[in-house]
Amino acid sequence: MKRFVVLDTNCLVQMLSSHSVYYAAWQAYRRGEYVLCVSNEILNEYQEVIERVSSASVALNVVNAILRSPYTMFFTPQYHFRLIESDPDDNKFVDCAIIANADYIVSEDRHFDVLKTIPFLSVKVI
């Protein structure tokens, strides 16, 4: 059974370089070892940030790879839980994870630590 994963933007960016220690995680996604769960909001942020740290063409290639992958699932959150008050922009990842019934949110952002205190939430932050 494949794991459903939501990637915080900074984690995705770190995974893209073939010189990164996290590149194996990007390759694992490309091989279908897990399913990437995204929303339009998440994809927009991916594109904006990758353009900022790299280039528009790299951002477009990454987003297109995600869009075309059979290991991507798309979700449109109809409800916004607003569980992260310290950085409301991070809520798009939480909302997607909840409606996708994702196994994990992958992030190095400490704002996600608040999720560990919410009893109804079954998504783990790693």
Side-chain angles (χ1 to χ4, degrees), residues 100-113:
N101 198 26
D103 297 290
Y104 303 106
I105 297 173
V106 180
S107 178
E108 293 182 329
D109 190 335
R110 294 288 171 213
H111 296 127
F112 288 91
D113 288 348

Side-chain angles (χ1 to χ4, degrees), residues 13-24 26-27:
V13 169
Q14 291 180 55
M15 291 168 41
L16 296 176
S17 171
S18 60
H19 302 292
S20 169
V21 296
Y22 303 110
Y23 185 65
W26 175 250
Q27 294 299 86

Side-chain angles (χ1 to χ4, degrees), residues 8 10 18 23-24 26 38 46-47 73 83 103 108:
D8 185 16
N10 291 328
S18 60
Y23 185 65
W26 175 250
V38 297
Y46 286 172
Q47 185 161 359
M73 294 208 50
L83 298 177
D103 297 290
E108 293 182 329

Side-chain angles (χ1 to χ4, degrees), residues 22-40:
Y22 303 110
Y23 185 65
W26 175 250
Q27 294 299 86
Y29 159 67
R30 299 290 304 224
R31 288 189 304 271
E33 294 178 24
Y34 62 90
V35 174
L36 180 60
C37 302
V38 297
S39 65
N40 284 334

Side-chain angles (χ1 to χ4, degrees), residues 38-104:
V38 297
S39 65
N40 284 334
E41 280 186 286
I42 291 171
L43 288 173
N44 288 337
E45 182 171 308
Y46 286 172
Q47 185 161 359
E48 289 172 18
V49 172
I50 295 168
E51 281 181 13
R52 199 174 333 129
V53 299
S54 184
S55 70
S57 63
V58 169
L60 187 60
N61 286 337
V62 171
V63 170
N64 280 336
I66 292 169
L67 288 170
R68 292 183 178 134
S69 174
Y71 310 114
T72 301
M73 294 208 50
F74 300 91
F75 296 90
T76 305
Q78 299 297 316
Y79 183 81
H80 300 286
F81 293 89
R82 296 179 177 90
L83 298 177
I84 300 178
E85 294 177 6
S86 57
D87 188 356
D89 200 38
D90 286 335
N91 281 310
K92 69 175 77 56
F93 301 100
V94 178
D95 295 342
C96 183
I98 290 171
I99 67 162
N101 198 26
D103 297 290
Y104 303 106

